């Protein structure tokens, strides 16, 4: 969506009261609470399982895993703030009529969220790939290293990219100053591609190893289903990418 988009007085006057009265912030708040609890409980259970059942914990368990959890929690907190003080849940037109500065607050929170989101995408993948490197070998190990290289490079490149999306940087939220932003739809479209590719690779890497496991067919199927379930996010990412290609919200 073009960050400088605004409504003209004529457009605002044509909007119905029913449209302006729509308010979904409670649904969004409850959904965010649910995900916050799930993320926290999952991380607690992970640490309990590692403490009781893992023979050895690598350095990443005490560094990258906590950082990944903090990033996930950071997104949840940012979402709370965007709902509570950023106006999320109501139409933008409502805030332009009743409290225009709220949208500026939303844009500031959205800008901060972009940095947290990129870290939240990269570090959980790195954690999984480090785990893979300990249990794979040969060509699969090489593919794992290449995938990790793509993930790390994508994250490193994303930081300066976010900084230069709008120039000057303050134009991300302050539209009263002289500035401009790049075509945000192009950014959404093409930044998604490396994430989808690495998601597919991360799901596919363990399959050759699982296929060779000397276990019962039932257990092998169960393991395959477990790893496939972990890749459900790929379908959401692909659907989102297709929508980005079909629509133009500028």
């Amino acid at each position: 969506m073009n960050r400088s988009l605004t409504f003209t007085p004529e457009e605002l006057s044509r909007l119905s009261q029913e449209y302006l009265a729509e308010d979904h912030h409670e649904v969004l708040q409850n959904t965010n609470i649910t995900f916050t609890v799930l993320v926290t409980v999952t991380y607690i259970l992970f640490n309990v399982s590692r403490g009781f059942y893992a023979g050895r914990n690598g350095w990443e368990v005490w560094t990258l895993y906590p950082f990944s959890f903090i990033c996930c929690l950071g997104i949840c907190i940012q979402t709370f703030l965007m709902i509570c003080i950023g106006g999320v849940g109501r139409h933008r037109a409502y805030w332009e009529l009743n409290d225009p500065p709220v949208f500026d607050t939303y844009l500031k929170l959205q800008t901060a969220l972009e940095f947290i989101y990129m870290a939240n995408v990269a570090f959980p993948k790195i954690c999984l790939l480090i785990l893979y490197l300990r249990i794979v070998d040969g060509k699969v190990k090489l593919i794992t290293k290449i995938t990790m290289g793509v993930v790390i490079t994508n994250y490193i490149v994303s930081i300066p990219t976010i900084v230069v999306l709008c120039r000057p940087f303050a134009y991300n939220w302050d539209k009263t100053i002289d500035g401009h932003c790049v075509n945000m739809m192009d950014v959404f479209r093409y930044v998604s591609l490396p994430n989808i590719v690495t998601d597919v690779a991360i799901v596919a890497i363990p399959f050759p190893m699982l296929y060779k496991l000397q276990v019962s067919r039932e257990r092998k199927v169960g393991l395959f289903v477990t790893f496939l379930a972990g890749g459900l996010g790929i379908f959401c990412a692909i659907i989102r990418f297709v929508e980005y290609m079909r629509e133009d919200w500028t």
Side-chain angles (χ1 to χ4, degrees):
M1 183 180 294
N2 191 323
R3 297 185 182 198
S4 62
L5 179 66
T6 188
F7 294 93
T8 64
E10 292 76 15
E11 289 173 329
L12 290 173
S13 65
R14 290 197 296 266
L15 297 174
S16 67
Q17 291 300 313
E18 291 79 10
Y19 176 84
L20 294 172
E22 290 181 6
D23 185 359
H24 303 288
H25 84 276
E26 287 190 7
V27 174
L28 297 174
Q29 192 80 289
N30 291 336
T31 302
N32 192 45
I33 290 172
T34 300
F35 277 104
T36 303
V37 172
L38 286 174
V39 167
T40 304
V41 170
T42 300
Y43 183 64
I44 291 173
L45 292 176
F46 167 78
N47 282 294
V48 170
S49 66
R50 297 299 298 182
F52 282 95
Y53 301 107
R56 183 176 63 87
N57 290 313
W59 62 271
E60 73 279 1
V61 173
W62 313 116
T63 53
L64 297 182
Y65 281 87
F67 186 74
S68 299
F69 169 66
I70 291 171
C71 288
C72 289
L73 206 58
I75 288 182
C76 294
I77 293 171
Q78 281 289 94
T79 304
F80 276 120
L81 292 175
M82 293 173 82
I83 295 170
C84 294
I85 63 176
V88 171
R90 281 186 176 272
H91 293 293
R92 177 177 174 180
Y94 171 86
W95 296 114
E96 289 204 9
L97 284 169
N98 295 277
D99 193 1
V102 166
F103 191 69
D104 294 340
T105 302
Y106 165 79
L107 290 178
K108 292 177 181 178
L109 292 169
Q110 183 189 52
T111 302
L113 183 64
E114 289 169 358
F115 290 96
I116 301 173
Y117 172 78
M118 293 309 299
N120 189 61
V121 168
F123 282 92
K125 291 182 180 181
I126 293 172
C127 291
L128 275 174
L129 291 168
I130 290 174
L131 172 63
Y132 289 174
L133 286 175
R134 292 202 173 102
I135 58 178
V136 299
D137 53 21
K139 293 181 180 179
V140 178
K141 193 163 192 172
L142 176 61
I143 294 171
T144 303
K145 289 181 178 180
I146 293 172
T147 304
M148 181 179 290
V150 173
V151 171
I152 295 174
T153 301
N154 190 46
Y155 174 65
I156 293 174
V157 171
S158 71
I159 303 304
T161 300
I162 294 172
V163 172
V164 301
L165 288 179
C166 292
R167 303 299 295 165
F169 187 69
Y171 191 69
N172 279 286
W173 59 85
D174 186 357
K175 305 308 178 184
T176 63
I177 62 177
D178 185 24
H180 71 279
C181 294
V182 301
N183 188 312
M184 299 303 293
M185 284 307 302
D186 286 342
V187 175
F188 293 157
R189 287 165 181 158
Y190 300 114
V191 167
S192 298
L193 278 175
N195 289 329
I196 294 174
V197 171
T198 52
D199 282 345
V200 172
I202 289 171
V203 172
I205 285 171
F207 276 64
M209 180 183 62
L210 293 176
Y211 183 77
K212 296 177 182 178
L213 283 177
Q214 300 300 316
V215 296
S216 66
R217 179 177 298 180
E218 292 76 14
R219 180 166 295 184
K220 189 176 290 188
V221 170
L223 289 170
F224 272 99
V225 171
T226 299
F227 276 89
L228 284 174
L232 289 177
I234 297 174
F235 297 102
C236 297
I238 293 173
I239 291 171
R240 181 180 61 186
F241 177 73
V242 171
E243 286 300 313
Y244 286 157
M245 297 302 296
R246 290 174 52 191
E247 302 292 339
D248 188 358
W249 302 328
T250 56

